């Protein structure tokens, strides 16, 4: 469907500053220490926290519903648009993101106005 550039492992990964690494550790530790509720939700929210810099918040909005994003933000005590870049070094690998880029309005894709097959897949 779309040509995917070949990149090395290093080019696919975000290069985080010491401050960003410290921030993620604080969020991670505070969330685990204070969490009450369904552990599968905690696990999923922490997973989003750890891939957000690599994919960017746009990909997160494509693979999750707005409701799920809000739930994970509540669990983590963050706003993903404040923590993660719009796109990360691995954004291009997301089938959903590549398809959304072909449409004129990203938020219509996120809102479900345009259906994207395999939007949660990565190549």
């Amino acid at each position: 469907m779309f040509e995917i550039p070949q990149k090395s492992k290093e080019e696919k990964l975000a290069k985080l500053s010491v401050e960003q690494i410290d921030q993620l550790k604080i969020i991670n530790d505070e969330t685990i220490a204070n969490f009450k509720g369904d552990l599968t939700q905690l696990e999923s929210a922490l997973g989003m926290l750890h891939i957000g810099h690599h994919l960017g918040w746009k990909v997160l909005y494509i693979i999750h519903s707005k409701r799920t994003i809000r739930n994970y933000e509540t669990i983590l005590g963050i706003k993903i648009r404040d923590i993660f870049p719009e796109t990360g070094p691995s954004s291009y690998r997301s089938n959903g993101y590549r398809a959304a880029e072909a449409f004129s309005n990203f938020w219509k894709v996120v809102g479900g106005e345009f259906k994207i097959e395999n939007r949660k897949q990565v190549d």
Side-chain angles (χ1 to χ4, degrees):
M1 181 158 122
F2 299 98
E3 189 171 325
I4 303 167
Q6 295 297 313
K7 294 187 177 184
S8 69
K9 178 177 118 180
E10 291 75 25
E11 292 173 304
K12 293 176 185 177
L13 301 175
K15 291 159 184 60
L16 302 178
S17 68
V18 172
E19 292 80 16
Q20 288 171 312
I21 293 168
D22 289 345
Q23 179 186 40
L24 291 177
K25 181 167 179 11
I26 290 167
I27 294 167
N28 185 78
D29 293 352
E30 289 294 317
T31 300
I32 292 170
N34 297 318
F35 183 77
K36 295 177 183 166
D38 181 346
L39 284 172
T40 63
Q41 293 295 303
L42 172 64
E43 178 184 30
S44 296
L46 291 172
M48 183 185 76
L49 178 69
H50 289 277
I51 65 167
H53 283 287
H54 305 290
L55 298 174
W57 62 257
K58 280 192 168 185
V59 173
L60 296 176
Y61 268 103
I62 288 171
I63 64 175
H64 298 293
S65 69
K66 290 178 186 179
R67 181 177 174 211
T68 298
I69 294 285
R70 281 191 306 271
N71 180 41
Y72 293 170
E73 286 177 331
T74 299
I75 290 169
L76 297 167
I78 64 168
K79 294 288 184 198
I80 64 170
R81 290 173 78 175
D82 294 340
I83 302 285
F84 305 129
E86 186 174 300
T87 60
S90 279
S91 296
Y92 75 97
R93 297 173 58 208
S94 164
N95 291 343
Y97 179 71
R98 288 193 315 272
E101 286 290 287
F103 293 105
S104 62
N105 190 321
F106 171 80
W107 291 108
K108 285 185 179 181
V109 173
V110 170
E113 196 168 315
F114 299 110
K115 298 295 180 200
I116 298 175
E117 210 172 299
N118 298 319
R119 69 185 172 94
K120 296 182 180 186
Q121 298 297 313
V122 67
D123 289 325

